Amino acid sequence: MASDTPASQPTASTHEPYDASAIEDKWYQFWEHNGFFHAEPAPERPPHVIMMPPPNVTGRLHMGHALQSTIQDALTRIRRMQGQESLWMPGKDHAGIATQNVVERKLKEEEDTTRHALGRDQFVERVWEWKEEYGDIISQQMRTLGVSCDWDRERFTMDEGFSRAVQEVFVQLYEDGLIYRGDYLVNWDPENQTALSDEEVDNVEREGHFWHMKYPLTDGSGHLQIATTRPETMLGDTAVAVHPEDERYAGLVGKTVQLPLVDREIPIIADDYVDQSFGEGALKVTPAHDKNDFEIGQRHALEVLNIMNPDATINENGGPYEGMDRFDAREKIVEDLEQAGLLVKVETIPNTVPISSRSKEIIEPLISRQWFVKMEPLAKPAIEAVREGHINFYPERWANEYFRWMENIRDWCISRQLWWGHRIPVWYHTTADGAIDESRDFVVAVDQPEEGMVQDKDVLDTWFSSWLWPFATLGWTGDEAQDAANEDLQYFYPTDVLVSGYDILFFWIARMVMAGQYVTGQEPFKDIFITGMVKDKHGRWMSKSLGNGIDPLEMVDQYGADAVRYSLTVLCAQGQDIKLDPLKFEMGRNFANKIWNAFNVFGQFMAEGKAYRRERSFEDLELVERWMLTRLNTAIGEIDDAIGRYRLNEALSRIYDLFWHDYCDWYLELIKPPYGEAMDEDTIALAVEIYETLVQLLHPFMPFITEELWWRLRPREEGEACIVSDWPAADEALIDERGTEIFNLMQEMISGIRNVRSQYNVAASKDIAALVNLPASYTDVAQVMDQYAGYFAKMARVGNLTVGHGLAKPAASASVVIRRSEVFIPLADVIDLEQERERLRKEISEKEGFLKSVQGKLANEQFRTKAPQAIVDKEKQKEADAKAELQRLRASLEEFAAE
């Protein structure tokens, strides 16, 4: 491996600027070439498994993928460094409707042909050709982000073994009475001409209309007034329903009305479903085109009259409207009702419209023969798994959404009228002319039971394969002996954590829990980490129509992959969506530059090829060195705790603070040698030791820059890559609590002195004096401050530091109170006192004028009574702030009063 290492020896710093593009590709090739991503069963180590939510084979990397991939990769890298056999299983979904649509469009655009013209076998061949040519694009794009998934194990939901697993589960469910076929009302997508599950339908608010119309009583005694948002469905009405307790219609139940325009007689029935207070209390019943009407029809044995073709045109049952598009028929029907004097009125209303999440076409409820899974028996144990703590949600509140859906679950329509997908493993006998012989029973089997039998033409819902992902990817077959002998399955399943957005909580996550329990008898994962969704800076969903999408690959080109990963992770607060502005990636780039430049502080003094090792004991280290090691070892425990709770943003923020504020702002500044002098080897050794640990902590989040710097720090042996180095562990022997407490006090004092310098515009190059007045009990503090007076000199340009007890405040001094101590900064020889007095008088005068105007406004009764309370409160706050500022300014003026 060493010969393949892009940078196998430490390189003396050359102060070259950080260039992400110069290092990212080489390190990814290095990791992948050396097999660092690959996992194998290792009984001596615990496994850690994450199943990648398989992106669609049609997909291109979007910011949601980037977020999910970054989080999963960070977790995988952490567990790998912690000594676990970390498997992050990649793969892609065949995406039935989406992929079929893409290929169909391509055929139309490039060859002016259709799938029907090609025929099923040839069309499916074309889809496979398209998949081979374009299906790997997203996998290559994900590599750009640095994902360390096991590409050797990458699966596709239409792989031969995976496909067989899908069909085996179908057969098992059918034999257990959990799959059935029936003619039921389904969500029909007229564009794709297939049934959809409830979860694939989006309910969208649009402006609509209520058409009120008359249905004449057959006996000529009057009419019933009904209202509908879909006048075209009246062609399929087979009854009018009223509430049994509605006295207005007590004498009409059992009579009939004449259905307008098609001249068909339909009964008036009584049903509890009808809302007496809605409209006129009479409901048209169309069992073939409305779910509630279908249930009414079942209760009253009504005729189910379908008036729609699969493409949503009116069929032969629509009489004079046959062949018309449903919406053209709607307009014509309304026009004809008006001409017949049967249209009472039209109301404009907000209307909830079901839309196909795939084609965006308006869904048509349609009676169709489909295959369904009985979900309630599967949902019950899946609910218990979460209630009993076998599966934990992060954040916990998503468990409530899970329960809400699972406790109200409906049967799942799993058949799709498509050509691309897993064929349903059901076989039919045929007649002599090749038609399906409906008089004979079908057979459910993976393989063709008898020669001459034909397979069901429909395919399974894409999610029917996806819900098997955690175990089918590991080679599950359904054969007990084979599965018991499958080392991968036995070692890597169940998995550890499922990371996903909440958008597929019901589509995929809940179904995986059900499938895992049903098929394997085990929950498929222990934890579910639900991330927020990435939206634009205004909180809107990203979409092509809004033009507000942010391309992660463009951000990588502009800022570097590590910067993109850092920013996404820090912004990923548990339970919150991310409002993303592209400028947020500057945070990551700035941090990457800081990491790079920090190395140069000590790296410029390193001898090439030399391994620096600390030889001094902890007790022999300087105060700032012991403080830095204490901060580091304390932080490691906090970082581990945050990671364990899937609060990766908190973990990374803690590392950031540790690196930027502790290591760079204080430690490096204090160990820097004077300009022109060299850094001694002992100092370099500890700087390298701490920096190396920080690099390891950062590696899972910013893998490229950390791997590059890892190899620059010291000579490495074969296989000593940062990606497989040991995750840092806290060392209690490297913690100095009292020394840290004293250093923290010194930090506060130095910061206070800096503030005074800034407040009085003391030139940065000018040395000042400071007196530190400590409580009498602080004897050890005084000794330490005397010993390390140089820290005050270096960080606050204090050329003369006096530390003691009972020190009097010198004349013309500024003072800072730090806990129980005071710091006095004499200013007589530092600033022009008269000029400062004049400045303070002027500022006091201006502030008094401002306060007077605010108080005048508040004294105005009209303002106090008529202005919004928030505005009044704001003025009161201005008054309080002005008074406090005046108090401070007057105190300062008093300090500099002429003697």
Side-chain angles (χ1 to χ4, degrees), residues 607-650:
E608 192 164 331
K610 182 177 177 64
Y612 290 85
R613 304 285 179 189
R614 175 166 62 93
E615 295 179 1
R616 290 176 295 160
S617 68
F618 182 65
E619 291 70 27
D620 290 337
L621 299 178
E622 277 199 19
L623 176 63
V624 70
E625 294 174 318
R626 297 196 307 276
W627 168 83
M628 187 64 230
L629 283 170
T630 300
R631 294 285 292 169
L632 175 63
N633 283 279
T634 302
I636 289 171
E638 296 168 358
I639 292 161
D640 285 343
D641 177 67
I643 290 167
R645 294 180 291 117
Y646 298 104
R647 294 186 176 273
L648 271 65
N649 63 311
E650 294 179 11

Side-chain angles (χ1 to χ4, degrees), residues 719-739:
E720 279 192 334
C722 189
I723 189 175
V724 288
S725 64
D726 291 339
W727 181 254
D731 186 347
E732 291 186 9
L734 299 180
I735 292 178
D736 176 4
E737 291 182 359
R738 182 57 179 161

Side-chain angles (χ1 to χ4, degrees), residues 190-202:
E191 175 69 24
N192 288 307
Q193 296 192 26
T194 183
L196 298 178
S197 68
D198 290 341
E199 290 71 36
E200 293 169 294
V201 177
D202 299 325

Side-chain angles (χ1 to χ4, degrees), residues 558-573:
Q558 188 173 347
Y559 297 101
D562 284 329
V564 170
R565 290 170 63 113
Y566 170 85
S567 299
L568 287 174
T569 305
V570 163
L571 293 170
C572 185

